[in-house]
Amino acid sequence: MDSQKLQTQYRTDTCGGLRKEDDGREVTLVGWVFRWRDHGGIVFIDMRDRYGVTQIVFDRNSAEQDIDSLAHKLRSEFVIQVKGQVRPRPEGTVNESLPTGEVEVSATHLEIISESENPPFRLDDKGEVGEDIRLQYRYLDLRREELQRYIRIRHDAVIAARKYMDTLSFLDIETPILCKPTPEGARDFLVPARMHPGKFYALPQSPQIYKQILMVSGFDRYYQIARCFRDEALRADRQLEFTQIDIEMSFIDEDDIIKVTEGLMETIYRQTLGIELKPPFVRMGYDECMELYGIDRPDLRYDLQIKDLSDAFRGCEFRVFNQILDTGGRIRGIVVPGAAGYSRKELDDINAVAVDMGSKGCVWQRVGGGGEHDSSIKNIVSQPYFDKAAELAGASRGDLLVFVGGPDSLTSKVLARLRQYLAAREGLIDKNKLSFLWVTDFPLFERDEATGALSSSHHPFTSPHPEDLDKLESEPEKVRSRAYDIVLNGYEIGGGSIRIHNPDVQRRIFRALGISDEQAEYKFGFLLKAFQYGAPPHGGIAMGMDRVAMLLCGTDSIRDVIPFPKSSKASGLMEDAPAMVEEKELLELHIRKIVKK
RNA sequence: GGGGUCGUAGUUCAGUUGGUUAGAACGCCGGCCUGUCAAGCCGGAGGUCGCGAGUUCAAAUCUCGUCGGCCCCGCCA
């Protein structure tokens, strides 16, 4: 840290910069009272700012000023200015745990700049504090070393990303926050348009259409660190507003985007944590991914692959299994090595997880030391079937098998969760491992099971796989897309696609989605029109900045890397947002409340 | 929209089968103290048991509702 740069009218140095080389210097520091140890005749103050902690000593005998009265008044989180002389600490009193621990500042002058109420929780990272109270007093929470570090890591990542993108000739271009509503996809945040009674803007779910139009404008390589808004339920890794590193390129294919993205992640990890990644990352097609892991964002830090055990149980005595197999379902399971010793309670817990994910439950089988099989269905199914299952699954003595039957959509969902649950339970997750994965060849559409309607699995501008174009009308669900996701340790940290740049193909997609020409014209006419004026082939990706930052910081909630996040019920606990507004404001916006509270 | 879990002092928590004045630690306030660093010692203050009903002679404790934090399902093109 270049202390020269941080010098101001208030300070000569920071609370993190002094070393024994500074012995004898007259310095002025400003900061917060972190801790104090009042011994009567001598008072120690740990003074804190962004840069660190420095011990200040007030000595009744040696101080030039009568600090007796002032120093004793100091309390936690007062803002103070201290003048004094740097000196080495007496022998035996060096604090090894502080970078500044070899020195202290002997105070000659103290000014209380700002007093503080007693803080509602301690800021020294000793002991847990409820998240509600932390969010309510977020400005104090953010003073804590941990959050200061997270915000710093996030900053470093953003700077690394910007430098990298700039090096590759990407232009940082802004796009509107007030957009045209798009009823597809996530729920929009709407903004009433005062000057257009009855009409609304929407906050961007992503800058998607604008960045595609920028490609038509010839910008070739665009990026933006863009705030996005989606009015959907929150999760530990989802907020109403979040930040994307949004990228779009022209005259490229999948490999070009993937290469740029891998380089981006490589740069971010090197610049923030000094970790060298080893691209290229593993790639896997969607179908294979779902078959092996049951989910499109598997955590590959551990194995526990899903096995198809249908053939083992075909014709067995268990009617439920036969019914499943006869109706196109499968029996699939995972082997947990060395877990045959699980108690009934533990097996019940596993079953509860399976039920929670929507199945009727799971079946377990444990392979005993003599190769004999114990199972929750051993009274129904005879031993040879278990032999076959163990053989198919590759389970050996001492292993546990857990399996679920049903349509693939169900077994995938349940087994993906069980895989995660069992890996955690078995301690198979290496916290220091970084398992990147590209998932490619997503299906272009997915069908809503309730309504039967098709919708885009990525977004409606995603290019279909050229080989599957002729199936667009006949077998739309078999059409693969040119979409790709990047996954890290089980989190989807980014996704994108090669876009459609041909207006005719785009219209065929809209038709397949049940969007009429008129509707398409109304909603996306401006994009289609733009494409009629020489659209370059293009594609891009959006990286979830919050999730990337979260993973860099090693936490499990993006709230930790967002200075002012919303609670899980979407409230700002500090400022108490959202809030009521005056009737007259609504009137001006041509809005009437129908819910009173 | 649904499920789980939690809600007691400023904070983190304990609180038995429903039964006397709801406790502990840390923090806070006061005093003592010249080498501490989560300082120490002595003393003190501090409670709408989230909120509202109900059951009961009696509710932090039981029941119902409600609000809020966290996690999950649905949702998240």
Side-chain angles (χ1 to χ4, degrees), chain A residues 180 184 209 460-461 503 506-511 513-529:
Chain A
K180 185 170 181 174
E184 282 75 26
I209 295 175
F461 317 111
Q506 185 67 69
R507 281 183 205 284
R508 284 172 70 191
I509 299 290
F510 284 145
R511 265 179 229 133
L513 288 169
I515 300 174
S516 70
D517 289 358
E518 293 74 29
Q519 286 172 311
E521 190 56 36
Y522 178 75
K523 290 172 183 166
F524 308 113
F526 63 108
L527 178 67
L528 297 174
K529 192 170 170 187

Side-chain angles (χ1 to χ4, degrees), chain A residues 339 341-352 421-422 425-426:
Chain A
Y342 273 22
S343 67
R344 280 308 289 258
K345 167 80 169 67
E346 286 170 309
L347 294 166
D348 284 349
D349 287 348
I350 292 168
N351 190 62
Y421 177 83
L422 291 164
R425 177 146 221 165
E426 284 293 292

